[in-house]
Amino acid sequence: MAAMTAHSSPARAIVWMLAAVASFSLMDAGMKLLSAHYPALQVTVLRGAASLPFVLVWVLATAGPRSLVPVRWGLHLLRGLLGIVMIACFVYALRELPLSTAYTIYFVAPLLVAALSVPLLGEHVGPRRWVAIGIGLVGVLVVLRPGVGGLVSFPGLMVLLAATAYAVAAVTVSLLTRTDTPQSMVVWFLLLLALGAGLMAWPEWRPLQLRHAALIAGMGLAGALGQIALTRAFQLGQASLIAPLEYTGLVWVIGWDLLLWQVLPDRMTWVGAAIIVASGLYLLHRERVTRTRHMQPLDHP
């Protein structure tokens, strides 16, 4: 613990986190572009396979091959399966939704992580945090407002399913960090993602077009750079400091929507985004307050 504190650098952690968010937004824009030409599962395969070579180079150059040895195979397999569900559902939704709308709904994931930490990790969530989680879900309902025929958006529900899969996967990460290295978690996640989704995508596989080669490589590089930057951010700073910066992704995807597809979020999406982001920031604030109280010495009665 002391060693980690000695190497901490809040300013550098913030820079790395901002870079990670920007890289992942670029990767998601690439997935949306590819979703117009390939099935969702095939794009999921390309997401994992295209990033894997870049990540392997980084791991072998920094931590070495021994860092790749997995310890808890079962959790790795579960995380890989959840990753397939997460990315395939997200890519499916991107065919119909603007990036900014998909991101807004996906921002409910931290709230779901907090809710799932109670039954799965045995953590305590106080009444104020439950209220924040409830308000965040109201924000999702605002974005998933009734559409044609009074039905909620099916692509929006797919994003919500992706966020739920992410939340469960985040709990598995919390368990894996106790025994496995970050390098093994990243590499095996990408490998299982590519192999598992590849088996599912094979019956409807479409031949890759040469004109998409640069796009696929760019998506893979952006995903790898995002993962490396994210790892560095969490190595240099506290999660409570850098986690809120994930919401800056909304700025990036609004820019990609405007630049690549000439669309902007509608008013209800802005309202829902404000509610979800506010509840998420409050949830992080309460977590920081709770941790601070636990770290302080108790006063004598």
Side-chain angles (χ1 to χ4, degrees):
M1 188 72 177
M4 185 162 54
T5 304
H7 295 287
S8 64
S9 175
R12 290 172 61 198
I14 289 172
V15 172
W16 279 111
M17 187 61 179
L18 291 174
V21 172
S23 297
F24 283 133
S25 74
L26 184 59
M27 177 196 73
D28 290 335
M31 288 199 298
K32 180 172 174 61
L33 289 169
L34 289 169
S35 69
H37 304 280
Y38 304 100
L41 279 171
Q42 187 169 346
V43 177
T44 304
V45 177
L46 298 175
R47 157 69 183 105
S51 291
L52 189 58
F54 298 110
V55 170
L56 277 173
V57 170
W58 165 64
V59 170
L60 295 177
T62 56
R66 294 186 65 181
S67 66
L68 297 177
V69 179
V71 177
R72 304 178 75 174
W73 268 108
L75 286 177
H76 281 284
L77 291 172
L78 175 60
R79 185 167 172 248
L81 178 61
L82 290 168
I84 294 171
V85 174
M86 172 183 67
I87 297 178
C89 290
F90 191 73
V91 171
Y92 180 90
L94 289 181
R95 290 180 176 179
E96 304 293 335
L97 296 178
L99 268 175
S100 52
T101 303
Y103 260 55
T104 297
I105 301 171
Y106 201 79
F107 280 153
V108 77
L111 308 176
L112 297 177
V113 171
L116 289 172
S117 68
V118 177
L120 298 181
L121 295 177
E123 296 182 0
H124 173 71
V125 174
R128 293 181 182 179
R129 286 192 279 179
W130 279 118
V131 170
I133 292 169
I135 292 174
L137 294 177
V138 170
V140 173
L141 292 176
V142 170
V143 182
L144 289 174
R145 58 196 178 279
V148 179
L151 298 174
V152 295
S153 161
F154 182 72
L157 292 176
M158 293 297 280
V159 178
L160 193 57
L161 179 58
T164 303
Y166 169 85
V168 179
V171 175
T172 67
V173 170
S174 179
L175 297 172
L176 277 170
T177 52
R178 301 173 186 176
T179 56
D180 291 67
T181 66
Q183 291 80 11
S184 71
M185 286 190 286
V186 173
V187 170
W188 285 104
F189 173 76
L190 292 175
L191 184 59
L192 291 170
L193 187 70
L195 293 176
L199 290 174
M200 296 184 213
W202 185 253
E204 298 183 9
W205 188 271
R206 296 181 186 174
L208 299 179
Q209 301 179 38
L210 184 60
R211 63 192 177 99
H212 294 147
L215 176 59
I216 294 170
M219 178 189 67
L221 179 59
L225 291 176
Q227 196 64 58
I228 293 169
L230 187 69
T231 302
R232 289 295 294 152
F234 277 93
Q235 286 174 340
L236 294 169
Q238 294 181 342
S240 59
L241 169 69
I242 58 179
L245 297 175
E246 189 171 347
Y247 292 119
T248 62
L250 193 56
V251 177
W252 283 102
V253 295
I254 289 173
W256 298 132
D257 273 342
L258 187 59
L259 178 65
L260 299 173
W261 296 280
Q262 293 77 51
V263 296
L264 283 173
D266 58 25
R267 180 166 48 177
M268 296 306 292
T269 300
W270 283 112
V271 172
I275 295 172
I276 295 169
V277 171
S279 60
L281 292 175
Y282 179 77
L283 196 68
L284 289 164
H285 166 70
R286 290 303 307 170
E287 184 176 350
R288 182 184 298 180
V289 169
T290 302
R291 288 185 178 181
T292 303
R293 285 177 180 172
H294 290 164
M295 292 174 64
Q296 290 175 346
L298 296 175
D299 294 329
H300 289 289

